[in-house]
Amino acid sequence: MNRLSDGGRVDRSAPLRFTFDGVQYTGLRGDTLASALLANDVLHTAPSLYRGRPRGIATAGVEEPNALVQIEGPGAEPMRLATTVELYEGLSATSLRGRGRLDPALDEGVYDKMHVHTEVLIVGGGPAGLAAALAAARSGARVVLVDDQPELGGSLLAGREEIDGRPALDWVADVRAELTAQADTRILTRSTATGYYDHNYLLVAEDRTGRPGPVRQTLWHIRARRVVLATGSHERPMVFAGNDLPGVMSAAAVRAYLNRYAVLPGRRCVLLTTNDHAYAVALDLVSAGAQVAALVDTRPRPPAELVDSARRAGIEVIAGSAVVAARGGARVQAVRIAALDAADTISGPVREVACDLLAVSGGWSPAVQLWSQSQGSLRYDEALAAFVPDEAAQNVDSVGASRGVLDLAGCLDDGFAAGARAAALAGFPVAVPPTPPTSGDGRPARPRPVWVVPGESGEPSDWSEHFVDLQRDATVADVQRAIRAGMRSVEHIKRYTTIGTAHDQGKASGVSATGVIARLLGARSPGEVGTTTFRGPYVPLTFALLAGRERGALFDPVRTTAIHPWHVRHGAVFENVGQWKRPRYYPRPGESMEAAVLRECGAAREGVGVMDATTLGKIDVIGPDAGEFLNRVYTNAFAKLAVNSARYGVMCRADGMVFDDGVTLRLAQDHYVMTTTTGNAAGVLDWLEEWLQTEWPELRVRFTSVTEQWATVAVVGPRSREVLTALAPELDVSNDAFPFMTARQILLANGVSARICRISFSGELAFEINVASWYGLATWESVIRAGEHLGITPYGTETMHVLRAEKGYPIVGQDTDGTVTPHDLGMEWVVSRHKDFIGKRSFARADTARTDRRQLVGLLPVDPAVLLPEGAQLVADAEVAVPTKALGHVTSSYRSAALGRTFALALVAGGRERLGETVYAPLADGGMIAATITDTVLYDPKGTRRDG
Amino acid sequence: MLLIACPWCGEREELEFHYGGQAHVGYPANPEGLTDSEWAEYLFVRDNPKGLFAERWSHAAGCRRWFNLIRHTVTHQILAVQSNRPVAAGQPKPVIP
Amino acid sequence: MTAENLPTLHALRRSPIGHLTDVLAEHSAAGRRSVRLREVPFLAQLDLQLHQHGSAAFDRIASALGEPLPTTPNTAVEAGDLRVLWLGPQEWLLIGPDGSAPATADLLRAALGDEPGSLVDVSANRTTLELAGPAARQVLEKGCALDLHPRSFGPGRCAQTLLSKVGVILHQVDAEPTYRLLVRGSFAQYLADWLLDAMVLL
């Protein structure tokens, strides 16, 4: 066991049993899976993906390259990092090489979503973030503090610093208590800010696994006036031969395992550093009882006080040198150390030192991912050897280590100032709190980055064990190959080598890769190479979290009419029309759709049918200029329409293409009610408002959407008059008294006020009854009762489609696709020559006058039993070799009871000149359907049936 | 997601709005007097700058008002929202800084 | 329509989620995190649009109602037993008790006189859900991107916005808080289901 007997943030009274790769272990509350494994002397992860090299836990956080695991349960999840999985009782995990496996079982976890507005959002609960939160919260502004760890403190959790003469974590506890006491402050722990989007919109993924309540994860949508990024920094690895061996670990991770998790990850340690950080780690290792065999510092003259303190602890400091190779089989056994000259070349004898742990600090990369996502710019700071935030693009500040401030006092100063500034800029001025005295290092001395530690022999192209990206097994040799292939841009080299494209998205390898590229290109500085683009999410997210509660029945709104319960009770099969659920047909027990539709069509043509037409969009158009307005938006004229009369109209966009159609009824001199297609009701209202507000503001007309105010029952068929008579005895339904395309306002026998229109979308005698939607169900049931003795038959959208297609009535959006003019539909009669309207000028364009435009025609398959598939392409010649140009395509296709055969509508180039010609529809299965082009109106071409 | 200040309703999520393309492209006063290419220019040709762009939006899920704003097409920074109506062609164009 | 046949007529009415009354009641929990949901069906609703700011009709309507139409965006006023919600510049929704629409419409039509304007009875267009209790705001925040903090949105505030994926008119009635959500009939079942789910997840 590697667990220390005291210290750390683990609870020794709370042992947790877990299983890893089939073996049972015990860890402690407060462990991560990685720290619990190390405590049990399990260092190894799965071998590397491509080269099968042994790998081990290398870090203690989100930048971990190796320790991918599959969580088998409870809460199965693929591809988690052992370093970020909080240990829980009964956890079972297996090491993962490469891709994970999705649990095929339904995820029963609950994923929630919350919207939050705040004046100040602080990302990161380390010293800088805590200071910022404290300062901001004292202003009275709303403050949200998010941190990805279970406990606040950030780097303080892994250190031994003091603040205000007390252990730093006591100060953290005080800050937390003060923040918790503020009504408008919210602390989200175990919460990772994963994306920073426009206008200070951030997504934060909170993991609530193991906490009270049903919710497993919550996705917080946070809109902040000001953001303070205190995201800290990642320690960089170094690139040398064998740097991927298990036992090579980040120095910061070694310190975290020691101080936070009370785990000693090695007994005999060597440290390799480019900066001051490793000295504190070395001293911590000594005081934990480990042997420190050497501290190798790339700098020829490290700060004297650090060297002295190390030597006093019995540590040999080897300055101006580097580890040029790590040796070992399954684990590091020794490192080879040599002096480097100013040009980073080996300039002295190589000495081998035995060890089982190599702690590496290649310098610090500020965690600028969110800053970059916010479109803030970066600059390369030569003194820090790091990319740091430069110019902000949004209302954001970066503080502490995330902008390269590495000393504790500096971080607190930075945080207090930024927190107060953020609150003040959000309208809540507040004083900057004084920074308490701190222990620990002062501002660190200048590092000496060594981007590529040379191999003991050969050229960069030979250095195939100098790993740049461990996840991708990508090495210096690979980068060199990319450069030799002509790549210069870091973006190109990334894609060529795949460096930075694995699960950590370059958190560990990114800046190292830039350094390696700069070195191999002979650039003066990594700043000349730059970084790749950082994109969200910062850590992997589950799709289940993104979906949240919008799955299953809540996936998307389901719109239903007032009559819906009847349709359900009577076995309707529904289809989705936009968000509406509409009855498609009403099968009798054992009846197929084909048979049901033929039966429903027969009823409407021979007897009486009834359909729920409620879903059509309805817009009241009111004002003295309503007629003039409609004249401008419809291709045909409405201003002179008589009161209580209705007219079919077509709307085009300015390009002359059909956009919507429907019947508009004039209720009064200044009052029309327009109907729109079911799917386009909102789009038409937007369209009307656009023209009124932006082009014709002088017109006195206003629009009100009344789609759901009215329920509409269409009673259709030669015997519909009898139903109406029973329903509204006071209404004279004779053709003379109530002609086609007129409307009557009347009380039904049951006392309900109704607007009845004689409108037909089937060619048959038909009435549409509009009642306040409250009465929709009752009215429908009255119609059914009134028609019972006539065998009234409810019919759905499929029958409606067949009936209208038999009459050649197009459906906008099915028979049109935004490239079709009214003329293409054969509807010249609906286009006025006497007034201007939207789209009129376009009909004079050469393109819309082409004779080979696709025009709507009817199609009769030569074999009357064969149904053309909708969408089938049409060609002129059955024998033509593919590829060939299509003449057009089938837009609607049905079996017709009235015609006793199949038929279709199609858009065909120059179609109206081709009546009588045969076209062919080649099918995906190699078959071919021949069909004859006909006029679109196949049923009752003289229109004798509409008056009954 | 953009946060757009409707001149009437105040700041709302982009989801509540419909985009209306380039602003100040008025419907020609006399379409019949235009050549085909002039008409095609009105129908199909719009600016696509990298930088500041005056464009129209409608608060479709709110007050249904159309308005103009100036947006930076790279940073999405919104520099000015022009209070409501009319957003007609005859209105003076804003000076884009 | 006469007063005598009202009971008969009312027996024929169905609100879009009338069948959920018991379900809503069962889910309305007590306690510290309490939140209650109910439907308030059949409220009278009139959509009023005027053409000109500061017209004579505006003043006549103010005297008829005893209260000027609210001109501050996203606010509502009470005028007798009517609640008048600002929907847009020159557009308001007048909400009254069940059955009051014809009388209110007559009043407004008279006040409008011969000025152009639009008055439409939309009582059946939307139904009303009432969400109340200390946790009501938290429920809304699961699907509403508006800032509902008392500093931004309090009693007397209203907004046309989205809840989940559904357009609603949101009106905060009191400080408990109590919210009224006016939703189009076709969306009412989905919205009620969504709210019930959000309430369970508190």
Short mmCIF file of all heavy atoms in Angstrom, two decimals, chain A residues 616-621 626-627 629-631 633-634 636-639 641-651 660-668 671-676 684 688 741-743 755 757-759 768:
data_model
loop_
_atom_site.label_atom_id
_atom_site.label_comp_id
_atom_site.label_asym_id
_atom_site.label_seq_id
_atom_site.Cartn_x
_atom_site.Cartn_y
_atom_site.Cartn_z
N LEU A 616 -55.21 23.92 -39.87
CA LEU A 616 -54.90 25.02 -40.78
C LEU A 616 -54.65 26.30 -40.00
O LEU A 616 -55.37 26.60 -39.04
CB LEU A 616 -56.07 25.25 -41.75
CG LEU A 616 -56.30 24.21 -42.84
CD1 LEU A 616 -57.46 24.64 -43.72
CD2 LEU A 616 -55.04 24.01 -43.68
N GLY A 617 -53.64 27.05 -40.40
CA GLY A 617 -53.37 28.31 -39.73
C GLY A 617 -54.47 29.31 -40.03
O GLY A 617 -55.04 29.31 -41.12
N LYS A 618 -54.77 30.15 -39.02
CA LYS A 618 -55.82 31.15 -39.21
C LYS A 618 -55.33 32.48 -38.68
O LYS A 618 -54.82 32.56 -37.55
CB LYS A 618 -57.11 30.74 -38.48
CG LYS A 618 -57.62 29.35 -38.88
CD LYS A 618 -58.73 28.86 -37.97
CE LYS A 618 -58.87 27.35 -38.02
NZ LYS A 618 -57.83 26.63 -37.28
N ILE A 619 -55.50 33.50 -39.48
CA ILE A 619 -55.03 34.83 -39.08
C ILE A 619 -56.15 35.84 -39.37
O ILE A 619 -56.63 35.93 -40.51
CB ILE A 619 -53.76 35.23 -39.88
CG1 ILE A 619 -52.63 34.22 -39.62
CG2 ILE A 619 -53.32 36.64 -39.51
CD1 ILE A 619 -51.45 34.36 -40.56
N ASP A 620 -56.54 36.57 -38.34
CA ASP A 620 -57.49 37.66 -38.56
C ASP A 620 -56.73 38.86 -39.11
O ASP A 620 -55.71 39.27 -38.56
CB ASP A 620 -58.18 38.05 -37.23
CG ASP A 620 -59.46 37.26 -37.01
OD1 ASP A 620 -59.66 36.24 -37.71
OD2 ASP A 620 -60.26 37.65 -36.14
N VAL A 621 -57.22 39.41 -40.20
CA VAL A 621 -56.59 40.57 -40.85
C VAL A 621 -57.62 41.70 -40.77
O VAL A 621 -58.66 41.64 -41.41
CB VAL A 621 -56.25 40.23 -42.31
CG1 VAL A 621 -55.60 41.41 -43.01
CG2 VAL A 621 -55.33 39.00 -42.37
N ALA A 626 -57.23 46.50 -44.97
CA ALA A 626 -57.01 45.04 -45.03
C ALA A 626 -57.09 44.53 -46.46
O ALA A 626 -56.27 43.71 -46.89
CB ALA A 626 -58.03 44.33 -44.14
N GLY A 627 -58.07 45.01 -47.21
CA GLY A 627 -58.22 44.54 -48.59
C GLY A 627 -57.03 44.92 -49.44
O GLY A 627 -56.52 44.10 -50.22
N PHE A 629 -54.05 45.50 -48.41
CA PHE A 629 -52.90 44.70 -47.98
C PHE A 629 -52.94 43.32 -48.64
O PHE A 629 -51.94 42.84 -49.17
CB PHE A 629 -52.88 44.57 -46.45
CG PHE A 629 -51.72 43.75 -45.95
CD1 PHE A 629 -50.49 44.34 -45.73
CD2 PHE A 629 -51.87 42.39 -45.75
CE1 PHE A 629 -49.41 43.57 -45.31
CE2 PHE A 629 -50.80 41.63 -45.33
CZ PHE A 629 -49.57 42.22 -45.10
N LEU A 630 -54.12 42.68 -48.59
CA LEU A 630 -54.22 41.33 -49.17
C LEU A 630 -53.98 41.36 -50.67
O LEU A 630 -53.39 40.44 -51.23
CB LEU A 630 -55.60 40.73 -48.85
CG LEU A 630 -55.84 40.44 -47.37
CD1 LEU A 630 -57.27 39.97 -47.15
CD2 LEU A 630 -54.86 39.41 -46.83
N ASN A 631 -54.41 42.43 -51.32
CA ASN A 631 -54.14 42.57 -52.75
C ASN A 631 -52.65 42.55 -53.04
O ASN A 631 -52.21 42.08 -54.08
CB ASN A 631 -54.71 43.90 -53.26
CG ASN A 631 -56.07 43.71 -53.90
OD1 ASN A 631 -56.64 42.64 -53.84
ND2 ASN A 631 -56.58 44.78 -54.49
N VAL A 633 -50.27 41.06 -51.07
CA VAL A 633 -49.54 39.83 -50.71
C VAL A 633 -50.03 38.60 -51.47
O VAL A 633 -49.29 37.64 -51.62
CB VAL A 633 -49.57 39.52 -49.20
CG1 VAL A 633 -48.84 40.61 -48.41
CG2 VAL A 633 -50.97 39.32 -48.68
N TYR A 634 -51.26 38.62 -51.94
CA TYR A 634 -51.75 37.50 -52.75
C TYR A 634 -51.59 37.84 -54.22
O TYR A 634 -51.66 39.01 -54.61
CB TYR A 634 -53.24 37.24 -52.48
CG TYR A 634 -53.53 36.38 -51.27
CD1 TYR A 634 -54.35 36.86 -50.24
CD2 TYR A 634 -53.01 35.10 -51.16
CE1 TYR A 634 -54.65 36.07 -49.14
CE2 TYR A 634 -53.31 34.31 -50.06
CZ TYR A 634 -54.12 34.78 -49.06
OH TYR A 634 -54.41 34.00 -47.98
N ASN A 636 -53.67 37.12 -56.41
CA ASN A 636 -54.99 37.50 -56.95
C ASN A 636 -55.61 38.56 -56.04
O ASN A 636 -55.08 38.88 -54.98
CB ASN A 636 -55.89 36.27 -57.11
CG ASN A 636 -55.91 35.39 -55.88
OD1 ASN A 636 -55.01 35.46 -55.05
ND2 ASN A 636 -56.92 34.57 -55.76
N ALA A 637 -56.77 39.06 -56.46
CA ALA A 637 -57.32 40.26 -55.82
C ALA A 637 -58.31 39.90 -54.71
O ALA A 637 -59.07 38.93 -54.82
CB ALA A 637 -58.03 41.11 -56.87
N PHE A 638 -58.28 40.68 -53.64
CA PHE A 638 -59.17 40.44 -52.50
C PHE A 638 -59.94 41.68 -52.07
O PHE A 638 -60.88 41.59 -51.30
CB PHE A 638 -58.37 39.89 -51.31
CG PHE A 638 -58.10 38.42 -51.44
CD1 PHE A 638 -57.04 37.96 -52.20
CD2 PHE A 638 -58.92 37.51 -50.83
CE1 PHE A 638 -56.80 36.61 -52.34
CE2 PHE A 638 -58.69 36.14 -50.96
CZ PHE A 638 -57.62 35.69 -51.72
N ALA A 639 -59.51 42.85 -52.56
CA ALA A 639 -60.09 44.08 -52.03
C ALA A 639 -61.59 44.18 -52.34
O ALA A 639 -62.34 44.77 -51.58
CB ALA A 639 -59.35 45.29 -52.60
N LEU A 641 -63.62 41.59 -52.77
CA LEU A 641 -64.36 40.39 -52.36
C LEU A 641 -65.57 40.82 -51.52
O LEU A 641 -65.46 41.67 -50.65
CB LEU A 641 -63.43 39.50 -51.55
CG LEU A 641 -63.98 38.16 -51.06
CD1 LEU A 641 -64.23 37.22 -52.25
CD2 LEU A 641 -62.99 37.51 -50.09
N ALA A 642 -66.73 40.21 -51.81
CA ALA A 642 -67.94 40.58 -51.07
C ALA A 642 -67.87 40.06 -49.64
O ALA A 642 -67.25 39.03 -49.37
CB ALA A 642 -69.16 40.00 -51.77
N VAL A 643 -68.54 40.78 -48.74
CA VAL A 643 -68.62 40.32 -47.36
C VAL A 643 -69.32 38.96 -47.33
O VAL A 643 -70.27 38.73 -48.09
CB VAL A 643 -69.35 41.36 -46.50
CG1 VAL A 643 -69.68 40.80 -45.12
CG2 VAL A 643 -68.50 42.63 -46.38
N ASN A 644 -68.82 38.09 -46.47
CA ASN A 644 -69.32 36.71 -46.34
C ASN A 644 -68.98 35.85 -47.55
O ASN A 644 -69.59 34.81 -47.76
CB ASN A 644 -70.82 36.66 -46.07
CG ASN A 644 -71.11 36.95 -44.60
OD1 ASN A 644 -70.29 36.61 -43.74
ND2 ASN A 644 -72.22 37.59 -44.33
N SER A 645 -68.01 36.31 -48.33
CA SER A 645 -67.53 35.49 -49.42
C SER A 645 -66.08 35.10 -49.18
O SER A 645 -65.36 35.77 -48.44
CB SER A 645 -67.62 36.22 -50.75
OG SER A 645 -68.98 36.27 -51.15
N ALA A 646 -65.69 34.01 -49.82
CA ALA A 646 -64.33 33.47 -49.62
C ALA A 646 -63.64 33.34 -50.96
O ALA A 646 -64.30 33.23 -52.01
CB ALA A 646 -64.42 32.10 -48.94
N ARG A 647 -62.33 33.34 -50.95
CA ARG A 647 -61.57 33.19 -52.19
C ARG A 647 -60.28 32.46 -51.87
O ARG A 647 -59.65 32.69 -50.84
CB ARG A 647 -61.28 34.57 -52.78
CG ARG A 647 -60.56 34.54 -54.12
CD ARG A 647 -60.60 35.90 -54.79
NE ARG A 647 -61.97 36.23 -55.23
CZ ARG A 647 -62.36 37.47 -55.55
NH1 ARG A 647 -61.51 38.47 -55.47
NH2 ARG A 647 -63.60 37.70 -55.92
N TYR A 648 -59.92 31.57 -52.81
CA TYR A 648 -58.64 30.89 -52.70
C TYR A 648 -57.55 31.85 -53.17
O TYR A 648 -57.72 32.55 -54.16
CB TYR A 648 -58.66 29.63 -53.58
CG TYR A 648 -57.33 28.96 -53.73
CD1 TYR A 648 -56.83 28.14 -52.73
CD2 TYR A 648 -56.56 29.14 -54.88
CE1 TYR A 648 -55.59 27.52 -52.87
CE2 TYR A 648 -55.33 28.52 -55.04
CZ TYR A 648 -54.85 27.71 -54.03
OH TYR A 648 -53.62 27.11 -54.17
N GLY A 649 -56.44 31.88 -52.43
CA GLY A 649 -55.35 32.77 -52.82
C GLY A 649 -54.01 32.07 -52.75
O GLY A 649 -53.84 31.09 -52.01
N VAL A 650 -53.08 32.59 -53.55
CA VAL A 650 -51.71 32.08 -53.56
C VAL A 650 -50.78 33.22 -53.21
O VAL A 650 -50.94 34.34 -53.71
CB VAL A 650 -51.36 31.49 -54.95
CG1 VAL A 650 -49.87 31.21 -55.06
CG2 VAL A 650 -52.16 30.23 -55.21
N MET A 651 -49.83 32.94 -52.32
CA MET A 651 -48.80 33.93 -51.98
C MET A 651 -47.49 33.47 -52.59
O MET A 651 -47.15 32.29 -52.52
CB MET A 651 -48.58 33.97 -50.47
CG MET A 651 -49.56 34.77 -49.70
SD MET A 651 -49.04 34.74 -47.96
CE MET A 651 -50.65 34.83 -47.22
N ASP A 660 -47.17 30.05 -50.06
CA ASP A 660 -48.27 29.50 -49.27
C ASP A 660 -49.56 29.69 -50.05
O ASP A 660 -49.62 30.46 -51.00
CB ASP A 660 -48.37 30.18 -47.91
CG ASP A 660 -49.07 29.29 -46.88
OD1 ASP A 660 -48.45 28.30 -46.45
OD2 ASP A 660 -50.24 29.56 -46.53
N ASP A 661 -50.59 28.97 -49.63
CA ASP A 661 -51.90 29.17 -50.23
C ASP A 661 -52.98 28.92 -49.19
O ASP A 661 -52.68 28.43 -48.10
CB ASP A 661 -52.10 28.28 -51.47
CG ASP A 661 -52.23 26.80 -51.11
OD1 ASP A 661 -51.93 26.43 -49.96
OD2 ASP A 661 -52.63 26.02 -51.99
N GLY A 662 -54.19 29.27 -49.54
CA GLY A 662 -55.29 29.04 -48.61
C GLY A 662 -56.48 29.91 -48.98
O GLY A 662 -56.42 30.72 -49.90
N VAL A 663 -57.55 29.71 -48.25
CA VAL A 663 -58.78 30.44 -48.50
C VAL A 663 -58.90 31.58 -47.51
O VAL A 663 -58.65 31.39 -46.32
CB VAL A 663 -59.99 29.49 -48.39
CG1 VAL A 663 -61.30 30.28 -48.40
CG2 VAL A 663 -59.96 28.47 -49.52
N THR A 664 -59.24 32.75 -48.03
CA THR A 664 -59.47 33.90 -47.16
C THR A 664 -60.93 34.33 -47.29
O THR A 664 -61.49 34.38 -48.38
CB THR A 664 -58.51 35.03 -47.51
OG1 THR A 664 -57.21 34.65 -47.06
CG2 THR A 664 -58.90 36.34 -46.84
N LEU A 665 -61.48 34.59 -46.14
CA LEU A 665 -62.91 34.89 -46.06
C LEU A 665 -63.07 36.33 -45.58
O LEU A 665 -62.34 36.77 -44.70
CB LEU A 665 -63.52 33.92 -45.04
CG LEU A 665 -64.92 34.16 -44.53
CD1 LEU A 665 -65.92 33.96 -45.65
CD2 LEU A 665 -65.21 33.17 -43.39
N ARG A 666 -64.00 37.05 -46.20
CA ARG A 666 -64.25 38.41 -45.74
C ARG A 666 -65.45 38.39 -44.80
O ARG A 666 -66.55 38.03 -45.20
CB ARG A 666 -64.52 39.34 -46.91
CG ARG A 666 -64.54 40.80 -46.50
CD ARG A 666 -64.58 41.72 -47.70
NE ARG A 666 -64.00 43.02 -47.40
CZ ARG A 666 -63.70 43.94 -48.30
NH1 ARG A 666 -63.91 43.69 -49.58
NH2 ARG A 666 -63.18 45.09 -47.93
N LEU A 667 -65.21 38.78 -43.56
CA LEU A 667 -66.28 38.77 -42.55
C LEU A 667 -66.99 40.11 -42.47
O LEU A 667 -68.15 40.19 -42.08
CB LEU A 667 -65.70 38.46 -41.18
CG LEU A 667 -65.15 37.04 -40.98
CD1 LEU A 667 -64.56 36.90 -39.59
CD2 LEU A 667 -66.25 36.01 -41.20
N ALA A 668 -66.25 41.18 -42.78
CA ALA A 668 -66.82 42.53 -42.73
C ALA A 668 -65.96 43.39 -43.64
O ALA A 668 -64.94 42.94 -44.15
CB ALA A 668 -66.79 43.07 -41.30
N HIS A 671 -62.57 43.40 -42.18
CA HIS A 671 -62.19 42.21 -41.42
C HIS A 671 -62.19 40.98 -42.33
O HIS A 671 -63.22 40.57 -42.85
CB HIS A 671 -63.18 42.00 -40.26
CG HIS A 671 -62.79 40.91 -39.32
ND1 HIS A 671 -63.49 40.61 -38.18
CD2 HIS A 671 -61.77 40.03 -39.32
CE1 HIS A 671 -62.92 39.61 -37.54
NE2 HIS A 671 -61.87 39.24 -38.22
N TYR A 672 -60.99 40.42 -42.51
CA TYR A 672 -60.84 39.16 -43.23
C TYR A 672 -60.28 38.12 -42.26
O TYR A 672 -59.59 38.47 -41.30
CB TYR A 672 -59.83 39.29 -44.38
CG TYR A 672 -60.22 40.22 -45.50
CD1 TYR A 672 -60.13 41.61 -45.35
CD2 TYR A 672 -60.61 39.71 -46.73
CE1 TYR A 672 -60.44 42.46 -46.40
CE2 TYR A 672 -60.93 40.55 -47.79
CZ TYR A 672 -60.83 41.93 -47.63
OH TYR A 672 -61.13 42.76 -48.67
N VAL A 673 -60.54 36.84 -42.57
CA VAL A 673 -59.81 35.80 -41.85
C VAL A 673 -59.15 34.92 -42.90
O VAL A 673 -59.78 34.41 -43.82
CB VAL A 673 -60.70 35.01 -40.86
CG1 VAL A 673 -61.92 34.39 -41.54
CG2 VAL A 673 -59.90 33.91 -40.17
N MET A 674 -57.83 34.83 -42.75
CA MET A 674 -57.00 34.13 -43.73
C MET A 674 -56.69 32.75 -43.19
O MET A 674 -56.44 32.59 -42.01
CB MET A 674 -55.68 34.93 -43.90
CG MET A 674 -54.58 34.23 -44.67
SD MET A 674 -53.01 35.14 -44.55
CE MET A 674 -53.35 36.55 -45.60
N THR A 675 -56.70 31.73 -44.07
CA THR A 675 -56.17 30.44 -43.64
C THR A 675 -54.86 30.19 -44.36
O THR A 675 -54.64 30.65 -45.48
CB THR A 675 -57.13 29.27 -43.94
OG1 THR A 675 -57.41 29.24 -45.33
CG2 THR A 675 -58.43 29.43 -43.17
N THR A 676 -53.98 29.49 -43.66
CA THR A 676 -52.66 29.16 -44.21
C THR A 676 -52.51 27.64 -44.16
O THR A 676 -53.30 26.95 -43.53
CB THR A 676 -51.53 29.77 -43.37
OG1 THR A 676 -51.40 29.03 -42.14
CG2 THR A 676 -51.81 31.23 -43.03
N VAL A 684 -46.19 32.44 -42.22
CA VAL A 684 -47.02 33.41 -42.94
C VAL A 684 -47.24 34.65 -42.09
O VAL A 684 -47.14 35.79 -42.57
CB VAL A 684 -48.36 32.78 -43.36
CG1 VAL A 684 -49.30 33.85 -43.91
CG2 VAL A 684 -48.13 31.71 -44.42
N LEU A 688 -46.34 38.43 -43.21
CA LEU A 688 -47.27 39.57 -43.25
C LEU A 688 -46.72 40.72 -42.42
O LEU A 688 -46.73 41.89 -42.86
CB LEU A 688 -48.64 39.15 -42.70
CG LEU A 688 -49.34 37.96 -43.36
CD1 LEU A 688 -50.73 37.76 -42.75
CD2 LEU A 688 -49.45 38.15 -44.87
N MET A 741 -68.27 28.99 -51.84
CA MET A 741 -67.35 30.05 -51.45
C MET A 741 -68.05 31.22 -50.75
O MET A 741 -67.70 32.38 -50.96
CB MET A 741 -66.52 30.55 -52.64
CG MET A 741 -65.49 29.52 -53.12
SD MET A 741 -64.37 28.97 -51.82
CE MET A 741 -62.81 29.53 -52.43
N THR A 742 -69.03 30.87 -49.94
CA THR A 742 -69.62 31.89 -49.08
C THR A 742 -69.66 31.33 -47.66
O THR A 742 -69.40 30.15 -47.44
CB THR A 742 -71.05 32.28 -49.51
OG1 THR A 742 -71.88 31.13 -49.42
CG2 THR A 742 -71.07 32.85 -50.91
N ALA A 743 -69.99 32.22 -46.72
CA ALA A 743 -69.96 31.83 -45.31
C ALA A 743 -71.21 32.35 -44.62
O ALA A 743 -71.80 33.36 -45.03
CB ALA A 743 -68.72 32.39 -44.63
N ARG A 755 -69.36 29.48 -37.49
CA ARG A 755 -69.16 30.11 -38.79
C ARG A 755 -69.02 28.96 -39.78
O ARG A 755 -68.11 28.13 -39.63
CB ARG A 755 -67.91 30.97 -38.77
CG ARG A 755 -67.57 31.63 -40.09
CD ARG A 755 -66.18 32.19 -40.07
NE ARG A 755 -66.04 33.19 -39.01
CZ ARG A 755 -64.89 33.46 -38.41
NH1 ARG A 755 -63.79 32.80 -38.74
NH2 ARG A 755 -64.83 34.37 -37.48
N CYS A 757 -68.63 27.65 -43.68
CA CYS A 757 -68.20 28.08 -45.00
C CYS A 757 -68.42 26.95 -45.99
O CYS A 757 -68.22 25.78 -45.65
CB CYS A 757 -66.71 28.43 -45.01
SG CYS A 757 -66.22 29.53 -43.69
N ARG A 758 -68.78 27.32 -47.21
CA ARG A 758 -68.84 26.32 -48.26
C ARG A 758 -67.53 26.36 -49.02
O ARG A 758 -67.33 27.19 -49.92
CB ARG A 758 -70.04 26.55 -49.19
CG ARG A 758 -71.25 25.71 -48.78
CD ARG A 758 -72.20 25.54 -49.92
NE ARG A 758 -71.61 24.83 -51.06
CZ ARG A 758 -72.10 24.85 -52.29
NH1 ARG A 758 -73.20 25.55 -52.56
NH2 ARG A 758 -71.52 24.17 -53.25
N ILE A 759 -66.63 25.50 -48.59
CA ILE A 759 -65.30 25.43 -49.17
C ILE A 759 -65.04 23.96 -49.46
O ILE A 759 -65.49 23.11 -48.69
CB ILE A 759 -64.25 25.94 -48.16
CG1 ILE A 759 -64.47 27.42 -47.87
CG2 ILE A 759 -62.84 25.71 -48.67
CD1 ILE A 759 -63.63 27.92 -46.73
N GLU A 768 -67.37 23.67 -44.14
CA GLU A 768 -66.45 23.72 -43.01
C GLU A 768 -67.12 24.45 -41.87
O GLU A 768 -67.55 25.60 -42.02
CB GLU A 768 -65.13 24.42 -43.40
CG GLU A 768 -64.19 23.50 -44.13
CD GLU A 768 -62.81 24.12 -44.34
OE1 GLU A 768 -62.53 25.20 -43.77
OE2 GLU A 768 -62.03 23.51 -45.08
#
